[in-house]
Amino acid sequence: RYISIFRPSVKQEVEKNKAQQKTMGPAKVAVPSPKNFLQKHSKEPKLPARKKEQDSKKLPALSVPRRTDHPVMGIQSKKNFINMNAVAAITGLPKKPQPIYVDSRQGDKYLLEASGLVPKYIKKKDYGVTPKYVTERKEEMKRTQKEYEASILEYLKKRAMKVLSDEERKCLLQGLKKNWDEVYREFQCLPVKIDTIPKMLHKEKLERQMKQLEHDIEMIQKHKVIYIANE
């Protein structure tokens, strides 16, 4: 069997360095005394000592009469409660019945005022008055619209563009509708059976023209103000 020639030197180094790792040396920290052990509730916060109540403080006066107090005797009232009640019943106004509503067969009654069926909001002072934030928003929208129109006019002056008048706009719209009618009439004259390529191409061309005319008509009807460039 093979034996390494370095075996004795390895053993010697292991035995030499083994004793150095056995201990870290004597403890240099002060060992606590066994008398100073942790006691029960020693880490809980201590409350201050309770002070005795001072005897000089007076008790609050009671609204109940004392046991030693005697009632006042011999006081009589000359008030005629019968006549007073009769006069109050004659001159007093009758109570108005509270409005109620019944919502079941058994006749369960509930107050109508608290039901939400009475329109109390019409009695408010500001009922029907436009809120302040709505008027402010409208004014702001008008101001922004004026600024936008002024900027557009300035831009048009720079680019030499003009606004299309109402008569020109109506004429342009009528012309587009007339062209659409002509294309549609031509589309209706197509044969029912389209079996050749030229017929198919002609049909697609008419459909594209109709679609473009419908788009142009919709755009002109949607926008009242139209700008065109001067050529």
Side-chain angles (χ1 to χ4, degrees), residues 117-146:
L117 302 174
V118 181
K120 292 184 178 181
Y121 54 88
I122 62 174
K123 299 179 181 179
K124 293 183 178 180
K125 294 181 180 180
D126 56 349
Y127 176 73
V129 180
T130 307
K132 187 177 180 181
Y133 73 93
V134 175
T135 54
E136 291 178 355
R137 189 173 297 176
K138 286 183 178 180
E139 292 176 358
E140 186 178 358
M141 290 175 63
K142 289 180 181 179
R143 186 170 59 256
T144 52
Q145 183 67 23
K146 288 182 180 178

Short mmCIF file of all heavy atoms in Angstrom, two decimals, residues 117-146:
data_model
loop_
_atom_site.label_atom_id
_atom_site.label_comp_id
_atom_site.label_asym_id
_atom_site.label_seq_id
_atom_site.Cartn_x
_atom_site.Cartn_y
_atom_site.Cartn_z
N LEU A 117 -90.78 61.93 1.47
CA LEU A 117 -91.75 62.15 0.41
C LEU A 117 -92.16 63.61 0.29
O LEU A 117 -92.75 64.00 -0.72
CB LEU A 117 -93.00 61.29 0.66
CG LEU A 117 -92.76 59.77 0.75
CD1 LEU A 117 -94.03 59.06 1.16
CD2 LEU A 117 -92.27 59.23 -0.58
N VAL A 118 -91.89 64.40 1.31
CA VAL A 118 -92.25 65.82 1.28
C VAL A 118 -91.10 66.60 0.65
O VAL A 118 -89.95 66.51 1.12
CB VAL A 118 -92.52 66.34 2.71
CG1 VAL A 118 -92.92 67.81 2.67
CG2 VAL A 118 -93.61 65.51 3.36
N PRO A 119 -91.34 67.36 -0.41
CA PRO A 119 -90.24 68.13 -1.05
C PRO A 119 -89.86 69.35 -0.22
O PRO A 119 -90.35 70.46 -0.46
CB PRO A 119 -90.83 68.50 -2.41
CG PRO A 119 -92.30 68.54 -2.17
CD PRO A 119 -92.61 67.52 -1.13
N LYS A 120 -88.97 69.16 0.73
CA LYS A 120 -88.52 70.28 1.57
C LYS A 120 -87.56 71.20 0.83
O LYS A 120 -87.40 72.36 1.22
CB LYS A 120 -87.84 69.74 2.83
CG LYS A 120 -88.77 69.03 3.78
CD LYS A 120 -88.02 68.62 5.04
CE LYS A 120 -88.94 67.94 6.03
NZ LYS A 120 -88.23 67.55 7.27
N TYR A 121 -86.91 70.68 -0.20
CA TYR A 121 -85.88 71.47 -0.86
C TYR A 121 -86.45 72.69 -1.58
O TYR A 121 -85.73 73.66 -1.81
CB TYR A 121 -85.12 70.60 -1.85
CG TYR A 121 -85.98 69.91 -2.87
CD1 TYR A 121 -86.32 70.52 -4.06
CD2 TYR A 121 -86.46 68.62 -2.63
CE1 TYR A 121 -87.12 69.90 -4.99
CE2 TYR A 121 -87.26 67.98 -3.56
CZ TYR A 121 -87.59 68.63 -4.73
OH TYR A 121 -88.38 67.99 -5.64
N ILE A 122 -87.75 72.68 -1.93
CA ILE A 122 -88.33 73.83 -2.62
C ILE A 122 -88.52 75.01 -1.67
O ILE A 122 -88.75 76.13 -2.12
CB ILE A 122 -89.66 73.46 -3.29
CG1 ILE A 122 -90.69 73.01 -2.25
CG2 ILE A 122 -89.44 72.38 -4.33
CD1 ILE A 122 -92.07 72.76 -2.83
N LYS A 123 -88.43 74.79 -0.37
CA LYS A 123 -88.59 75.86 0.61
C LYS A 123 -87.27 76.52 0.96
O LYS A 123 -87.23 77.44 1.78
CB LYS A 123 -89.24 75.31 1.87
CG LYS A 123 -90.63 74.74 1.64
CD LYS A 123 -91.22 74.19 2.92
CE LYS A 123 -92.61 73.60 2.68
NZ LYS A 123 -93.17 73.03 3.94
N LYS A 124 -86.18 76.06 0.37
CA LYS A 124 -84.88 76.65 0.67
C LYS A 124 -84.78 78.03 0.03
O LYS A 124 -85.42 78.33 -0.98
CB LYS A 124 -83.76 75.74 0.16
CG LYS A 124 -83.67 74.43 0.91
CD LYS A 124 -82.48 73.62 0.40
CE LYS A 124 -82.34 72.32 1.16
NZ LYS A 124 -81.18 71.53 0.66
N LYS A 125 -83.95 78.88 0.61
CA LYS A 125 -83.77 80.23 0.09
C LYS A 125 -83.07 80.23 -1.26
O LYS A 125 -83.34 81.07 -2.11
CB LYS A 125 -82.98 81.07 1.09
CG LYS A 125 -83.72 81.31 2.40
CD LYS A 125 -82.90 82.16 3.35
CE LYS A 125 -83.65 82.40 4.65
NZ LYS A 125 -82.85 83.23 5.59
N ASP A 126 -82.14 79.31 -1.44
CA ASP A 126 -81.38 79.28 -2.68
C ASP A 126 -81.95 78.28 -3.69
O ASP A 126 -81.24 77.83 -4.58
CB ASP A 126 -79.92 78.90 -2.38
CG ASP A 126 -79.80 77.58 -1.63
OD1 ASP A 126 -80.84 77.07 -1.17
OD2 ASP A 126 -78.67 77.06 -1.52
N TYR A 127 -83.25 77.94 -3.55
CA TYR A 127 -83.86 77.01 -4.50
C TYR A 127 -84.06 77.70 -5.84
O TYR A 127 -84.61 78.80 -5.93
CB TYR A 127 -85.20 76.52 -3.96
CG TYR A 127 -85.96 75.63 -4.93
CD1 TYR A 127 -85.54 74.32 -5.15
CD2 TYR A 127 -87.07 76.09 -5.62
CE1 TYR A 127 -86.21 73.50 -6.04
CE2 TYR A 127 -87.75 75.29 -6.50
CZ TYR A 127 -87.32 73.99 -6.71
OH TYR A 127 -87.98 73.18 -7.59
N GLY A 128 -83.63 77.07 -6.89
CA GLY A 128 -83.75 77.63 -8.24
C GLY A 128 -82.69 78.63 -8.61
O GLY A 128 -82.69 79.12 -9.74
N VAL A 129 -81.77 78.91 -7.69
CA VAL A 129 -80.70 79.86 -7.97
C VAL A 129 -79.50 79.09 -8.52
O VAL A 129 -79.12 78.04 -7.98
CB VAL A 129 -80.30 80.63 -6.70
CG1 VAL A 129 -79.18 81.61 -6.99
CG2 VAL A 129 -81.51 81.35 -6.12
N THR A 130 -78.93 79.58 -9.58
CA THR A 130 -77.77 78.92 -10.19
C THR A 130 -76.58 78.99 -9.23
O THR A 130 -76.27 80.06 -8.70
CB THR A 130 -77.40 79.59 -11.51
OG1 THR A 130 -78.56 79.64 -12.34
CG2 THR A 130 -76.30 78.82 -12.22
N PRO A 131 -75.94 77.89 -8.97
CA PRO A 131 -74.78 77.92 -8.05
C PRO A 131 -73.68 78.83 -8.57
O PRO A 131 -73.55 79.08 -9.78
CB PRO A 131 -74.33 76.45 -8.01
CG PRO A 131 -75.52 75.66 -8.42
CD PRO A 131 -76.27 76.52 -9.39
N LYS A 132 -72.91 79.31 -7.65
CA LYS A 132 -71.85 80.26 -7.99
C LYS A 132 -70.77 79.62 -8.85
O LYS A 132 -70.27 80.23 -9.80
CB LYS A 132 -71.23 80.81 -6.70
CG LYS A 132 -70.24 81.92 -6.92
CD LYS A 132 -69.73 82.46 -5.60
CE LYS A 132 -68.73 83.59 -5.82
NZ LYS A 132 -68.21 84.12 -4.53
N TYR A 133 -70.45 78.35 -8.56
CA TYR A 133 -69.38 77.71 -9.32
C TYR A 133 -69.80 77.47 -10.77
O TYR A 133 -68.96 77.47 -11.68
CB TYR A 133 -68.98 76.40 -8.65
CG TYR A 133 -69.98 75.28 -8.79
CD1 TYR A 133 -69.90 74.35 -9.84
CD2 TYR A 133 -71.00 75.11 -7.88
CE1 TYR A 133 -70.80 73.32 -9.97
CE2 TYR A 133 -71.91 74.09 -8.00
CZ TYR A 133 -71.80 73.19 -9.04
OH TYR A 133 -72.71 72.17 -9.16
N VAL A 134 -71.12 77.32 -11.02
CA VAL A 134 -71.58 77.10 -12.40
C VAL A 134 -71.42 78.39 -13.21
O VAL A 134 -70.95 78.38 -14.36
CB VAL A 134 -73.04 76.62 -12.40
CG1 VAL A 134 -73.57 76.51 -13.82
CG2 VAL A 134 -73.17 75.28 -11.70
N THR A 135 -71.81 79.52 -12.61
CA THR A 135 -71.66 80.80 -13.32
C THR A 135 -70.19 81.12 -13.57
O THR A 135 -69.83 81.59 -14.66
CB THR A 135 -72.31 81.91 -12.50
OG1 THR A 135 -71.76 81.91 -11.17
CG2 THR A 135 -73.81 81.71 -12.40
N GLU A 136 -69.35 80.84 -12.59
CA GLU A 136 -67.91 81.08 -12.77
C GLU A 136 -67.35 80.20 -13.89
O GLU A 136 -66.53 80.64 -14.70
CB GLU A 136 -67.17 80.82 -11.46
CG GLU A 136 -67.47 81.83 -10.38
CD GLU A 136 -66.76 81.51 -9.08
OE1 GLU A 136 -66.11 80.44 -9.02
OE2 GLU A 136 -66.84 82.31 -8.13
N ARG A 137 -67.81 78.94 -13.93
CA ARG A 137 -67.33 78.04 -14.98
C ARG A 137 -67.81 78.49 -16.36
O ARG A 137 -67.05 78.42 -17.34
CB ARG A 137 -67.82 76.62 -14.68
CG ARG A 137 -67.21 75.56 -15.57
CD ARG A 137 -67.60 74.18 -15.11
NE ARG A 137 -67.08 73.90 -13.77
CZ ARG A 137 -67.34 72.79 -13.09
NH1 ARG A 137 -68.11 71.86 -13.62
NH2 ARG A 137 -66.85 72.61 -11.89
N LYS A 138 -69.04 78.98 -16.45
CA LYS A 138 -69.54 79.47 -17.73
C LYS A 138 -68.75 80.68 -18.20
O LYS A 138 -68.40 80.80 -19.38
CB LYS A 138 -71.03 79.81 -17.61
CG LYS A 138 -71.94 78.60 -17.54
CD LYS A 138 -73.39 79.01 -17.50
CE LYS A 138 -74.31 77.80 -17.47
NZ LYS A 138 -75.74 78.19 -17.43
N GLU A 139 -68.48 81.60 -17.26
CA GLU A 139 -67.69 82.78 -17.62
C GLU A 139 -66.29 82.39 -18.07
O GLU A 139 -65.75 82.95 -19.04
CB GLU A 139 -67.62 83.73 -16.44
CG GLU A 139 -68.97 84.38 -16.10
CD GLU A 139 -68.88 85.25 -14.87
OE1 GLU A 139 -67.77 85.30 -14.27
OE2 GLU A 139 -69.89 85.86 -14.49
N GLU A 140 -65.72 81.43 -17.39
CA GLU A 140 -64.38 80.97 -17.77
C GLU A 140 -64.39 80.32 -19.16
O GLU A 140 -63.49 80.54 -19.97
CB GLU A 140 -63.87 79.98 -16.73
CG GLU A 140 -62.43 79.54 -16.96
CD GLU A 140 -61.94 78.61 -15.88
OE1 GLU A 140 -62.71 78.34 -14.92
OE2 GLU A 140 -60.79 78.14 -15.99
N MET A 141 -65.45 79.54 -19.44
CA MET A 141 -65.57 78.93 -20.77
C MET A 141 -65.73 79.99 -21.86
O MET A 141 -65.13 79.87 -22.94
CB MET A 141 -66.75 77.95 -20.79
CG MET A 141 -66.54 76.70 -19.96
SD MET A 141 -67.99 75.64 -19.88
CE MET A 141 -68.19 75.19 -21.60
N LYS A 142 -66.53 81.03 -21.59
CA LYS A 142 -66.69 82.09 -22.58
C LYS A 142 -65.37 82.82 -22.81
O LYS A 142 -65.02 83.14 -23.95
CB LYS A 142 -67.75 83.07 -22.09
CG LYS A 142 -69.17 82.53 -22.13
CD LYS A 142 -70.15 83.58 -21.64
CE LYS A 142 -71.59 83.04 -21.65
NZ LYS A 142 -72.55 84.05 -21.14
N ARG A 143 -64.64 83.07 -21.73
CA ARG A 143 -63.38 83.77 -21.86
C ARG A 143 -62.37 82.94 -22.67
O ARG A 143 -61.68 83.46 -23.56
CB ARG A 143 -62.82 84.08 -20.47
CG ARG A 143 -61.58 84.93 -20.49
CD ARG A 143 -61.21 85.41 -19.10
NE ARG A 143 -60.98 84.34 -18.16
CZ ARG A 143 -61.84 83.97 -17.20
NH1 ARG A 143 -63.00 84.61 -17.07
NH2 ARG A 143 -61.55 82.98 -16.38
N THR A 144 -62.31 81.63 -22.37
CA THR A 144 -61.40 80.77 -23.13
C THR A 144 -61.81 80.66 -24.60
O THR A 144 -60.96 80.61 -25.49
CB THR A 144 -61.35 79.38 -22.50
OG1 THR A 144 -62.68 78.87 -22.34
CG2 THR A 144 -60.68 79.42 -21.13
N GLN A 145 -63.15 80.66 -24.85
CA GLN A 145 -63.62 80.60 -26.24
C GLN A 145 -63.24 81.86 -27.00
O GLN A 145 -62.83 81.80 -28.17
CB GLN A 145 -65.14 80.40 -26.25
CG GLN A 145 -65.75 80.26 -27.63
CD GLN A 145 -65.31 78.97 -28.33
OE1 GLN A 145 -64.92 78.02 -27.67
NE2 GLN A 145 -65.38 78.97 -29.65
N LYS A 146 -63.36 83.02 -26.34
CA LYS A 146 -62.97 84.28 -26.99
C LYS A 146 -61.48 84.30 -27.27
O LYS A 146 -61.04 84.71 -28.35
CB LYS A 146 -63.36 85.46 -26.10
CG LYS A 146 -64.86 85.71 -26.05
CD LYS A 146 -65.16 86.92 -25.18
CE LYS A 146 -66.67 87.19 -25.12
NZ LYS A 146 -66.97 88.35 -24.24
#
